[in-house]
Amino acid sequence: EKRNQVIVMAGGKGKRMLPYTKKCPKPLLIIGEKPILEHILLKAKMEGFNKFTFSINYLGYKIKNFFNDGNRWNVKIKYLKENFPLGTAGSLSLLKPKPRMPFIVCNGDIVSEIRFNELLDFHQKNNAIATVAVKPYELRNPYGVVKVSGNNIIELKEKPISKSYVNIGVYVFEPQVLKFISKNKYLDMNILIQNL
């Protein structure tokens, strides 16, 4: 059984998912008979995590009504309520009490095979203050790409592939990260990571 907290960011408006999110917060959208957020909770519980905090805002009462204190799943759920949008990281400033050990932060709309335990182990082995879970991503250009200098062709690559890593919205943080987050101030996760 893990003592580390799992904090799920479930406060967003889900604008890209309209009209589905008009009356239902994105984390409660159903995938395979269960809300996305329940999938996240069950997956973490299977790995031994049972302390959850849901950061809620948009239609947050619906999330609270569905999960309550977590008793039905035999876990403990607390809530962080933003009074106004604080960005993708700002609501972490509302955590009470502050975590005393590394904690996991996860977006409330993640459907993934990621193993929280492995991420936590990786984080601790690397003595990191913060760990970001990423996924390799390939972008295939459908055209031949031509590099020129003046009127001369320097290179011609047929349908090149550019490779990068994309953020999947799962993080591990040490408690001291909270010192970098001002109370009730808007802060997005990418800015927090850059500041760290």
Side-chain angles (χ1 to χ4, degrees):
E1 197 166 283
K2 296 275 178 186
R3 295 194 354 262
N4 310 72
Q5 270 195 67
V6 177
I7 296 153
V8 185
M9 300 311 219
K13 279 206 162 103
K15 284 187 190 136
R16 284 174 300 193
M17 298 289 288
L18 282 167
Y20 304 106
T21 49
K22 195 166 171 54
K23 293 187 171 131
C24 177
K26 190 157 64 162
L28 284 187
L29 291 176
I30 304 292
I31 291 186
E33 296 172 18
K34 284 188 187 79
I36 298 171
L37 191 47
E38 189 176 359
H39 285 285
I40 294 169
L41 180 137
L42 289 171
K43 195 171 178 323
K45 184 182 182 231
M46 222 166 64
E47 290 195 49
F49 297 92
N50 60 18
K51 286 191 179 116
F52 295 86
T53 301
F54 294 167
S55 177
I56 55 174
N57 185 353
Y58 175 70
L59 299 179
Y61 69 94
K62 291 193 171 187
I63 293 172
K64 220 170 172 174
N65 289 347
F66 185 87
F67 289 98
N68 290 311
D69 59 1
N71 224 351
R72 183 155 50 118
W73 294 268
N74 205 17
V75 298
K76 286 187 172 68
I77 300 175
K78 292 199 293 199
Y79 296 89
L80 296 178
K81 176 73 179 90
E82 297 174 318
N83 294 322
F84 47 91
L86 291 173
T88 49
S91 68
L92 294 175
S93 70
L94 308 174
L95 280 172
K96 268 196 204 121
K98 303 262 182 253
R100 289 207 296 275
M101 56 198 331
F103 57 96
I104 292 168
V105 175
C106 171
N107 289 355
D109 57 358
I110 298 290
V111 182
S112 96
E113 291 304 305
I114 191 154
R115 292 184 183 88
F116 293 148
N117 275 328
E118 284 179 20
L119 192 63
L120 199 53
D121 290 346
F122 176 87
H123 171 84
Q124 286 168 319
K125 278 191 189 107
N126 286 281
N127 292 318
I129 186 169
T131 298
V132 181
V134 297
K135 176 184 174 162
Y137 182 74
E138 286 188 355
L139 191 61
R140 220 171 256 275
N141 190 325
Y143 305 103
V145 175
V146 181
K147 247 192 199 160
V148 294
S149 173
N151 290 336
N152 300 321
I153 291 177
I154 300 169
E155 186 179 36
L156 191 146
K157 278 189 179 164
E158 199 50 48
K159 298 180 181 163
I161 296 169
S162 66
K163 294 179 179 182
S164 56
Y165 287 104
V166 294
N167 175 6
I168 66 162
V170 181
Y171 315 86
V172 183
F173 292 123
E174 288 297 316
Q176 64 260 40
V177 164
L178 297 170
K179 292 184 184 128
F180 294 81
I181 305 173
S182 309
K183 189 146 194 176
N184 277 320
K185 254 180 102 179
Y186 189 96
L187 179 66
D188 276 333
M189 199 59 86
N190 57 323
I191 305 299
L192 172 62
I193 300 290
Q194 281 167 33
N195 293 347
L196 292 175

